[in-house]
Amino acid sequence: MKGIKTLASFTAIAVCLGAASMVNAATITSPAAGSTFSAPGTITVSSPASGNIPVQCNITFSGTVASDSKTASITNATVSGSNFLCGIPVMQNLPWTLTPTSTTTATVSGVSFKILSNCGTANVLTNYAGGALTLSTTPQSVGTCKITQLSVSPNPTFVITNP
């Protein structure tokens, strides 16, 4: 009987903690739920194809804010630039999911691309301040490739709140 009471107590605590974390979840309040966005900027990646030398390219993400405003779906990523290597990357595993973890941080889940060969898949940790999304730590590995710099500016500008 004591074991059942202990199990019930732990279950109640887990439910309360889960409810509390849902209440404090960061949300995207702008652009509005269901709205589209574009996020142009730059990215620097090193890969075996570049001899592991960092190559800076232009990148534009586009997507939609989820109907519950808890995430944004990155449905397209286009890479370009003057370096011929900027024309090689192929984005994979789209859509990627951007999930705010606070008013100034977010995780982009499922990031995957190939540069001649498959780099791999990873979750990329970002900072968000002053309208720009940047890497929270560098470099960040995506399999055999490394993102050493990222700076994109969502348009419309994201407003993330923590209710």
Side-chain angles (χ1 to χ4, degrees):
M1 186 69 158
K2 185 176 181 179
I4 292 173
K5 287 181 182 179
T6 302
L7 177 61
S9 296
F10 282 124
T11 302
I13 290 170
V15 168
C16 289
L17 288 174
S21 68
M22 287 175 23
V23 169
N24 291 326
T27 58
I28 302 166
T29 57
S30 178
S35 297
T36 60
F37 65 90
S38 176
T42 58
I43 188 169
T44 303
V45 176
S46 62
S47 72
S50 69
N52 292 316
I53 296 170
V55 175
Q56 185 176 40
C57 301
N58 300 316
I59 191 161
T60 300
F61 297 112
S62 58
T64 306
V65 176
S67 60
D68 64 3
S69 296
K70 293 181 189 293
T71 63
S73 182
I74 298 171
T75 56
N76 191 38
T78 305
V79 179
S80 62
S82 59
N83 188 312
F84 79 94
L85 289 172
C86 295
I88 295 175
V90 175
M91 302 301 134
Q92 300 175 312
N93 202 32
L94 291 164
W96 301 335
T97 303
L98 183 143
T99 305
T101 52
S102 75
T103 58
T104 59
T105 60
T107 300
V108 181
S109 305
V111 174
S112 180
F113 54 91
K114 69 178 182 178
I115 303 174
L116 296 181
S117 62
N118 190 25
C119 288
T121 302
N123 294 335
V124 176
L125 306 176
T126 62
N127 290 324
Y128 185 71
L133 196 64
T134 59
L135 292 178
S136 62
T137 60
T138 58
Q140 289 195 33
S141 294
V142 178
T144 60
C145 300
K146 291 182 180 165
I147 303 173
T148 58
Q149 181 273 334
L150 173 72
S151 180
V152 295
S153 298
N155 182 18
T157 302
F158 281 8
V159 175
I160 300 171
T161 59
N162 206 5

